[in-house]
Amino acid sequence: MTTTLIETHKAFGGEQRKYRHYSETLDCDMVFSLFLPQQTDNKPTDLIWWLSGLTCTDDNFSQKGAFQKYANQHHMAVVMPDTSPRGTAVADDEGWDLGQGAGFYLNATQEPWAKNYRMYAYLTEELPQLVYALIPNFSGKESIMGHSMGGHGTLVIGLKNPERFRSISAFAPILNPSQVPWGQKAFTAYLGTDETNWAEWDATSLIAESPAAPPILISQGTADNFYDVQLNEEAFLQAAEGKKVRYEKLDGYDHSYFTIATFIEDHLQFHKDCLK
């Protein structure tokens, strides 16, 4: 597996990079972005994964997340994968909440999606090996975070791999996708109509069964227009009783990257504390 560097920008002493590679898992060309902190000595570098939401690419967080200053201060690398497989040969849908840009970070089992839509396998098996090799003095320590659909993916991947990720955080995540329209549409298409197959991709089901969930921080804006229908937290928090979950409401903040940029310093400090 080889990667091609296609873009580099200096930011707060570090480098914001963009790479392209062919993914055998997804059977298409993929891009991802990677921030590397300034390398001034042999200090170990921790790794944070960022998963973006519906319609996004790797560029959204790299250009609007306002994280680079704090990641450089904490000596963290931050990787931003794309949100789905891409290309003219990859299945798609006319709706913005299904298909390309809406991979939901699972392994699809239904046609025409099963051939390419294996984002969980891509993020847990293939892409890490590429990313680790690009980080100078990688410490081996990882945490994961994301937004909206990416918050769903963050919780699912983090809860399925507690031995790998030291902490999990999310902005406005889809916490119970089996019970809300976004998740029901995606799960029906990607996984089929048998809802018993949905539980392994639903954070509420996963945390209820998780004996050793990593510490979790969730931030939800009170002015988020998706909150009432798509992002309600009640079932998740009930299932998470007894786990290390901090759920905070952000008064007057919405679903946008303005919210993420405002509170990203707090989230990175949370991960830094957990990675120590």
mmCIF file of all heavy atoms in Angstrom, residues 64-103:
data_model
loop_
_atom_site.group_PDB
_atom_site.id
_atom_site.type_symbol
_atom_site.label_atom_id
_atom_site.label_comp_id
_atom_site.label_asym_id
_atom_site.label_seq_id
_atom_site.Cartn_x
_atom_site.Cartn_y
_atom_site.Cartn_z
ATOM 1 N N LYS A 64 -12.125 24.050 8.884
ATOM 2 C CA LYS A 64 -13.058 24.818 9.721
ATOM 3 C C LYS A 64 -13.056 24.402 11.186
ATOM 4 O O LYS A 64 -13.749 25.011 11.996
ATOM 5 C CB LYS A 64 -14.486 24.673 9.168
ATOM 6 C CG LYS A 64 -14.654 25.240 7.764
ATOM 7 C CD LYS A 64 -16.111 25.279 7.339
ATOM 8 C CE LYS A 64 -16.705 23.926 7.097
ATOM 9 N NZ LYS A 64 -18.088 23.996 6.574
ATOM 10 N N GLY A 65 -12.280 23.380 11.545
ATOM 11 C CA GLY A 65 -12.319 22.864 12.903
ATOM 12 C C GLY A 65 -11.519 23.647 13.921
ATOM 13 O O GLY A 65 -11.703 23.471 15.130
ATOM 14 N N ALA A 66 -10.594 24.497 13.466
ATOM 15 C CA ALA A 66 -9.801 25.357 14.361
ATOM 16 C C ALA A 66 -9.054 24.575 15.435
ATOM 17 O O ALA A 66 -8.892 25.038 16.564
ATOM 18 C CB ALA A 66 -10.700 26.423 15.000
ATOM 19 N N PHE A 67 -8.568 23.403 15.075
ATOM 20 C CA PHE A 67 -7.945 22.516 16.068
ATOM 21 C C PHE A 67 -6.425 22.544 16.031
ATOM 22 O O PHE A 67 -5.776 22.099 16.992
ATOM 23 C CB PHE A 67 -8.387 21.072 15.819
ATOM 24 C CG PHE A 67 -7.827 20.475 14.554
ATOM 25 C CD1 PHE A 67 -6.622 19.797 14.566
ATOM 26 C CD2 PHE A 67 -8.490 20.623 13.344
ATOM 27 C CE1 PHE A 67 -6.080 19.262 13.397
ATOM 28 C CE2 PHE A 67 -7.962 20.091 12.172
ATOM 29 C CZ PHE A 67 -6.755 19.420 12.202
ATOM 30 N N GLN A 68 -5.827 23.039 14.942
ATOM 31 C CA GLN A 68 -4.392 22.839 14.728
ATOM 32 C C GLN A 68 -3.530 23.458 15.828
ATOM 33 O O GLN A 68 -2.532 22.865 16.250
ATOM 34 C CB GLN A 68 -3.979 23.392 13.359
ATOM 35 C CG GLN A 68 -4.439 22.551 12.179
ATOM 36 C CD GLN A 68 -5.784 22.980 11.610
ATOM 37 O OE1 GLN A 68 -6.527 23.717 12.262
ATOM 38 N NE2 GLN A 68 -6.102 22.537 10.393
ATOM 39 N N LYS A 69 -3.892 24.636 16.306
ATOM 40 C CA LYS A 69 -3.107 25.290 17.363
ATOM 41 C C LYS A 69 -3.022 24.408 18.600
ATOM 42 O O LYS A 69 -1.941 24.210 19.169
ATOM 43 C CB LYS A 69 -3.735 26.636 17.707
ATOM 44 C CG LYS A 69 -3.042 27.363 18.857
ATOM 45 C CD LYS A 69 -3.738 28.693 19.152
ATOM 46 C CE LYS A 69 -3.079 29.405 20.324
ATOM 47 N NZ LYS A 69 -3.738 30.710 20.624
ATOM 48 N N TYR A 70 -4.150 23.850 19.010
ATOM 49 C CA TYR A 70 -4.197 23.054 20.242
ATOM 50 C C TYR A 70 -3.563 21.679 20.026
ATOM 51 O O TYR A 70 -2.906 21.155 20.929
ATOM 52 C CB TYR A 70 -5.637 22.927 20.715
ATOM 53 C CG TYR A 70 -6.341 24.265 20.761
ATOM 54 C CD1 TYR A 70 -7.389 24.550 19.891
ATOM 55 C CD2 TYR A 70 -5.926 25.262 21.641
ATOM 56 C CE1 TYR A 70 -8.014 25.779 19.915
ATOM 57 C CE2 TYR A 70 -6.544 26.498 21.665
ATOM 58 C CZ TYR A 70 -7.587 26.754 20.790
ATOM 59 O OH TYR A 70 -8.187 27.985 20.810
ATOM 60 N N ALA A 71 -3.752 21.108 18.843
ATOM 61 C CA ALA A 71 -3.116 19.827 18.553
ATOM 62 C C ALA A 71 -1.602 19.969 18.564
ATOM 63 O O ALA A 71 -0.882 19.084 19.049
ATOM 64 C CB ALA A 71 -3.589 19.293 17.209
ATOM 65 N N ASN A 72 -1.100 21.082 18.059
ATOM 66 C CA ASN A 72 0.346 21.294 18.072
ATOM 67 C C ASN A 72 0.846 21.481 19.506
ATOM 68 O O ASN A 72 1.892 20.935 19.870
ATOM 69 C CB ASN A 72 0.706 22.510 17.226
ATOM 70 C CG ASN A 72 2.204 22.595 16.961
ATOM 71 O OD1 ASN A 72 2.771 21.747 16.275
ATOM 72 N ND2 ASN A 72 2.855 23.602 17.529
ATOM 73 N N GLN A 73 0.100 22.224 20.313
ATOM 74 C CA GLN A 73 0.502 22.429 21.708
ATOM 75 C C GLN A 73 0.556 21.110 22.474
ATOM 76 O O GLN A 73 1.446 20.898 23.304
ATOM 77 C CB GLN A 73 -0.487 23.384 22.389
ATOM 78 C CG GLN A 73 -0.372 24.819 21.926
ATOM 79 C CD GLN A 73 -1.454 25.706 22.533
ATOM 80 O OE1 GLN A 73 -2.392 25.226 23.165
ATOM 81 N NE2 GLN A 73 -1.323 27.007 22.333
ATOM 82 N N HIS A 74 -0.391 20.220 22.195
ATOM 83 C CA HIS A 74 -0.459 18.932 22.891
ATOM 84 C C HIS A 74 0.367 17.848 22.193
ATOM 85 O O HIS A 74 0.383 16.703 22.653
ATOM 86 C CB HIS A 74 -1.907 18.454 22.985
ATOM 87 C CG HIS A 74 -2.767 19.292 23.874
ATOM 88 N ND1 HIS A 74 -2.361 19.721 25.120
ATOM 89 C CD2 HIS A 74 -4.031 19.770 23.702
ATOM 90 C CE1 HIS A 74 -3.335 20.427 25.674
ATOM 91 N NE2 HIS A 74 -4.355 20.471 24.839
ATOM 92 N N HIS A 75 1.025 18.201 21.120
ATOM 93 C CA HIS A 75 1.837 17.276 20.329
ATOM 94 C C HIS A 75 1.010 16.071 19.872
ATOM 95 O O HIS A 75 1.387 14.907 20.053
ATOM 96 C CB HIS A 75 3.066 16.805 21.115
ATOM 97 C CG HIS A 75 4.222 16.455 20.234
ATOM 98 N ND1 HIS A 75 4.967 17.398 19.568
ATOM 99 C CD2 HIS A 75 4.737 15.265 19.862
ATOM 100 C CE1 HIS A 75 5.902 16.812 18.858
ATOM 101 N NE2 HIS A 75 5.775 15.513 19.005
ATOM 102 N N MET A 76 -0.138 16.391 19.255
ATOM 103 C CA MET A 76 -1.044 15.377 18.734
ATOM 104 C C MET A 76 -1.073 15.415 17.210
ATOM 105 O O MET A 76 -1.167 16.491 16.607
ATOM 106 C CB MET A 76 -2.473 15.653 19.221
ATOM 107 C CG MET A 76 -2.699 15.509 20.696
ATOM 108 S SD MET A 76 -4.368 16.123 21.108
ATOM 109 C CE MET A 76 -4.563 15.429 22.750
ATOM 110 N N ALA A 77 -1.029 14.249 16.602
ATOM 111 C CA ALA A 77 -1.376 14.133 15.196
ATOM 112 C C ALA A 77 -2.888 13.923 15.106
ATOM 113 O O ALA A 77 -3.487 13.306 15.991
ATOM 114 C CB ALA A 77 -0.651 12.962 14.552
ATOM 115 N N VAL A 78 -3.513 14.463 14.068
ATOM 116 C CA VAL A 78 -4.956 14.318 13.889
ATOM 117 C C VAL A 78 -5.217 13.856 12.464
ATOM 118 O O VAL A 78 -4.806 14.513 11.502
ATOM 119 C CB VAL A 78 -5.705 15.637 14.150
ATOM 120 C CG1 VAL A 78 -7.211 15.437 13.994
ATOM 121 C CG2 VAL A 78 -5.370 16.190 15.533
ATOM 122 N N VAL A 79 -5.893 12.723 12.319
ATOM 123 C CA VAL A 79 -6.200 12.189 10.994
ATOM 124 C C VAL A 79 -7.685 12.351 10.717
ATOM 125 O O VAL A 79 -8.527 12.144 11.586
ATOM 126 C CB VAL A 79 -5.774 10.709 10.844
ATOM 127 C CG1 VAL A 79 -6.494 9.798 11.821
ATOM 128 C CG2 VAL A 79 -6.003 10.240 9.409
ATOM 129 N N MET A 80 -7.995 12.758 9.489
ATOM 130 C CA MET A 80 -9.370 13.011 9.054
ATOM 131 C C MET A 80 -9.657 12.185 7.808
ATOM 132 O O MET A 80 -9.303 12.585 6.704
ATOM 133 C CB MET A 80 -9.545 14.502 8.742
ATOM 134 C CG MET A 80 -9.448 15.414 9.953
ATOM 135 S SD MET A 80 -8.498 16.916 9.642
ATOM 136 C CE MET A 80 -6.821 16.341 9.974
ATOM 137 N N PRO A 81 -10.294 11.030 7.939
ATOM 138 C CA PRO A 81 -10.678 10.242 6.768
ATOM 139 C C PRO A 81 -11.861 10.893 6.055
ATOM 140 O O PRO A 81 -12.531 11.794 6.574
ATOM 141 C CB PRO A 81 -11.098 8.892 7.358
ATOM 142 C CG PRO A 81 -10.703 8.943 8.803
ATOM 143 C CD PRO A 81 -10.644 10.372 9.192
ATOM 144 N N ASP A 82 -12.139 10.431 4.837
ATOM 145 C CA ASP A 82 -13.360 10.815 4.148
ATOM 146 C C ASP A 82 -14.537 10.084 4.799
ATOM 147 O O ASP A 82 -14.356 9.165 5.595
ATOM 148 C CB ASP A 82 -13.255 10.478 2.659
ATOM 149 C CG ASP A 82 -14.181 11.320 1.795
ATOM 150 O OD1 ASP A 82 -15.086 11.975 2.350
ATOM 151 O OD2 ASP A 82 -14.014 11.315 0.557
ATOM 152 N N THR A 83 -15.758 10.464 4.419
ATOM 153 C CA THR A 83 -16.949 9.913 5.061
ATOM 154 C C THR A 83 -17.550 8.725 4.324
ATOM 155 O O THR A 83 -18.524 8.139 4.808
ATOM 156 C CB THR A 83 -18.027 11.003 5.181
ATOM 157 O OG1 THR A 83 -18.253 11.579 3.888
ATOM 158 C CG2 THR A 83 -17.590 12.090 6.142
ATOM 159 N N SER A 84 -16.997 8.358 3.171
ATOM 160 C CA SER A 84 -17.539 7.222 2.411
ATOM 161 C C SER A 84 -16.586 6.898 1.277
ATOM 162 O O SER A 84 -15.691 7.684 0.957
ATOM 163 C CB SER A 84 -18.913 7.569 1.822
ATOM 164 O OG SER A 84 -18.768 8.405 0.668
ATOM 165 N N PRO A 85 -16.778 5.760 0.614
ATOM 166 C CA PRO A 85 -16.079 5.518 -0.637
ATOM 167 C C PRO A 85 -16.545 6.525 -1.687
ATOM 168 O O PRO A 85 -17.635 7.101 -1.572
ATOM 169 C CB PRO A 85 -16.476 4.085 -1.009
ATOM 170 C CG PRO A 85 -17.754 3.850 -0.293
ATOM 171 C CD PRO A 85 -17.675 4.649 0.973
ATOM 172 N N ARG A 86 -15.728 6.741 -2.721
ATOM 173 C CA ARG A 86 -16.047 7.740 -3.749
ATOM 174 C C ARG A 86 -15.724 7.189 -5.136
ATOM 175 O O ARG A 86 -14.904 6.287 -5.297
ATOM 176 C CB ARG A 86 -15.213 9.002 -3.541
ATOM 177 C CG ARG A 86 -15.338 9.652 -2.165
ATOM 178 C CD ARG A 86 -16.509 10.563 -2.062
ATOM 179 N NE ARG A 86 -16.560 11.216 -0.743
ATOM 180 C CZ ARG A 86 -17.449 12.133 -0.405
ATOM 181 N NH1 ARG A 86 -18.371 12.531 -1.270
ATOM 182 N NH2 ARG A 86 -17.430 12.656 0.809
ATOM 183 N N GLY A 87 -16.347 7.798 -6.152
ATOM 184 C CA GLY A 87 -16.005 7.473 -7.529
ATOM 185 C C GLY A 87 -17.225 7.129 -8.367
ATOM 186 O O GLY A 87 -18.283 6.778 -7.849
ATOM 187 N N THR A 88 -17.060 7.214 -9.683
ATOM 188 C CA THR A 88 -18.177 6.957 -10.595
ATOM 189 C C THR A 88 -18.624 5.501 -10.569
ATOM 190 O O THR A 88 -19.771 5.196 -10.906
ATOM 191 C CB THR A 88 -17.792 7.340 -12.026
ATOM 192 O OG1 THR A 88 -16.599 6.622 -12.411
ATOM 193 C CG2 THR A 88 -17.503 8.838 -12.137
ATOM 194 N N ALA A 89 -17.737 4.594 -10.156
ATOM 195 C CA ALA A 89 -18.088 3.175 -10.109
ATOM 196 C C ALA A 89 -18.654 2.762 -8.757
ATOM 197 O O ALA A 89 -19.005 1.603 -8.562
ATOM 198 C CB ALA A 89 -16.862 2.325 -10.434
ATOM 199 N N VAL A 90 -18.759 3.711 -7.830
ATOM 200 C CA VAL A 90 -19.247 3.431 -6.479
ATOM 201 C C VAL A 90 -20.733 3.762 -6.411
ATOM 202 O O VAL A 90 -21.176 4.820 -6.872
ATOM 203 C CB VAL A 90 -18.459 4.255 -5.440
ATOM 204 C CG1 VAL A 90 -19.060 4.088 -4.043
ATOM 205 C CG2 VAL A 90 -16.999 3.847 -5.439
ATOM 206 N N ALA A 91 -21.526 2.868 -5.815
ATOM 207 C CA ALA A 91 -22.972 3.085 -5.687
ATOM 208 C C ALA A 91 -23.261 4.394 -4.971
ATOM 209 O O ALA A 91 -22.532 4.818 -4.081
ATOM 210 C CB ALA A 91 -23.603 1.917 -4.932
ATOM 211 N N ASP A 92 -24.365 5.047 -5.389
ATOM 212 C CA ASP A 92 -24.744 6.327 -4.801
ATOM 213 C C ASP A 92 -26.266 6.418 -4.756
ATOM 214 O O ASP A 92 -26.966 5.528 -5.253
ATOM 215 C CB ASP A 92 -24.146 7.480 -5.612
ATOM 216 C CG ASP A 92 -24.052 8.777 -4.820
ATOM 217 O OD1 ASP A 92 -24.394 8.772 -3.623
ATOM 218 O OD2 ASP A 92 -23.646 9.794 -5.412
ATOM 219 N N ASP A 93 -26.764 7.481 -4.165
ATOM 220 C CA ASP A 93 -28.200 7.695 -4.034
ATOM 221 C C ASP A 93 -28.480 9.174 -4.269
ATOM 222 O O ASP A 93 -27.614 10.028 -4.025
ATOM 223 C CB ASP A 93 -28.658 7.282 -2.627
ATOM 224 C CG ASP A 93 -30.164 7.352 -2.468
ATOM 225 O OD1 ASP A 93 -30.833 6.369 -2.841
ATOM 226 O OD2 ASP A 93 -30.673 8.383 -1.981
ATOM 227 N N GLU A 94 -29.668 9.495 -4.729
ATOM 228 C CA GLU A 94 -30.014 10.889 -4.978
ATOM 229 C C GLU A 94 -30.124 11.686 -3.686
ATOM 230 O O GLU A 94 -29.945 12.900 -3.674
ATOM 231 C CB GLU A 94 -31.330 10.967 -5.755
ATOM 232 C CG GLU A 94 -31.238 10.428 -7.176
ATOM 233 C CD GLU A 94 -32.555 10.550 -7.915
ATOM 234 O OE1 GLU A 94 -33.553 10.999 -7.302
ATOM 235 O OE2 GLU A 94 -32.584 10.195 -9.117
ATOM 236 N N GLY A 95 -30.432 11.036 -2.583
ATOM 237 C CA GLY A 95 -30.562 11.740 -1.306
ATOM 238 C C GLY A 95 -29.209 12.080 -0.705
ATOM 239 O O GLY A 95 -28.231 11.348 -0.865
ATOM 240 N N TRP A 96 -29.158 13.176 0.025
ATOM 241 C CA TRP A 96 -27.898 13.618 0.628
ATOM 242 C C TRP A 96 -27.520 12.797 1.855
ATOM 243 O O TRP A 96 -26.377 12.845 2.317
ATOM 244 C CB TRP A 96 -27.981 15.100 1.019
ATOM 245 C CG TRP A 96 -29.081 15.423 1.979
ATOM 246 C CD1 TRP A 96 -30.377 15.726 1.680
ATOM 247 C CD2 TRP A 96 -28.994 15.467 3.407
ATOM 248 N NE1 TRP A 96 -31.108 15.954 2.822
ATOM 249 C CE2 TRP A 96 -30.284 15.805 3.905
ATOM 250 C CE3 TRP A 96 -27.965 15.244 4.323
ATOM 251 C CZ2 TRP A 96 -30.552 15.929 5.261
ATOM 252 C CZ3 TRP A 96 -28.244 15.371 5.673
ATOM 253 C CH2 TRP A 96 -29.517 15.714 6.133
ATOM 254 N N ASP A 97 -28.484 12.034 2.394
ATOM 255 C CA ASP A 97 -28.233 11.277 3.621
ATOM 256 C C ASP A 97 -28.060 9.783 3.372
ATOM 257 O O ASP A 97 -28.243 8.966 4.284
ATOM 258 C CB ASP A 97 -29.346 11.529 4.636
ATOM 259 C CG ASP A 97 -30.739 11.289 4.074
ATOM 260 O OD1 ASP A 97 -30.856 10.981 2.873
ATOM 261 O OD2 ASP A 97 -31.716 11.417 4.844
ATOM 262 N N LEU A 98 -27.698 9.404 2.143
ATOM 263 C CA LEU A 98 -27.404 8.009 1.816
ATOM 264 C C LEU A 98 -26.425 7.987 0.656
ATOM 265 O O LEU A 98 -26.460 8.852 -0.214
ATOM 266 C CB LEU A 98 -28.690 7.271 1.426
ATOM 267 C CG LEU A 98 -28.555 5.747 1.194
ATOM 268 C CD1 LEU A 98 -28.236 5.029 2.508
ATOM 269 C CD2 LEU A 98 -29.834 5.176 0.586
ATOM 270 N N GLY A 99 -25.537 6.995 0.641
ATOM 271 C CA GLY A 99 -24.582 6.875 -0.462
ATOM 272 C C GLY A 99 -23.325 7.678 -0.222
ATOM 273 O O GLY A 99 -22.865 7.821 0.922
ATOM 274 N N GLN A 100 -22.752 8.207 -1.283
ATOM 275 C CA GLN A 100 -21.480 8.918 -1.172
ATOM 276 C C GLN A 100 -21.636 10.164 -0.295
ATOM 277 O O GLN A 100 -22.526 10.970 -0.492
ATOM 278 C CB GLN A 100 -20.957 9.272 -2.565
ATOM 279 C CG GLN A 100 -20.622 8.029 -3.373
ATOM 280 C CD GLN A 100 -19.917 8.334 -4.680
ATOM 281 O OE1 GLN A 100 -19.131 9.267 -4.783
ATOM 282 N NE2 GLN A 100 -20.185 7.518 -5.692
ATOM 283 N N GLY A 101 -20.728 10.278 0.689
ATOM 284 C CA GLY A 101 -20.828 11.320 1.703
ATOM 285 C C GLY A 101 -21.621 10.889 2.914
ATOM 286 O O GLY A 101 -21.760 11.655 3.871
ATOM 287 N N ALA A 102 -22.138 9.645 2.901
ATOM 288 C CA ALA A 102 -22.999 9.178 3.991
ATOM 289 C C ALA A 102 -22.764 7.697 4.264
ATOM 290 O O ALA A 102 -23.693 6.902 4.298
ATOM 291 C CB ALA A 102 -24.467 9.426 3.644
ATOM 292 N N GLY A 103 -21.507 7.326 4.484
ATOM 293 C CA GLY A 103 -21.169 5.913 4.658
ATOM 294 C C GLY A 103 -21.537 5.309 5.992
ATOM 295 O O GLY A 103 -21.540 4.093 6.153
#
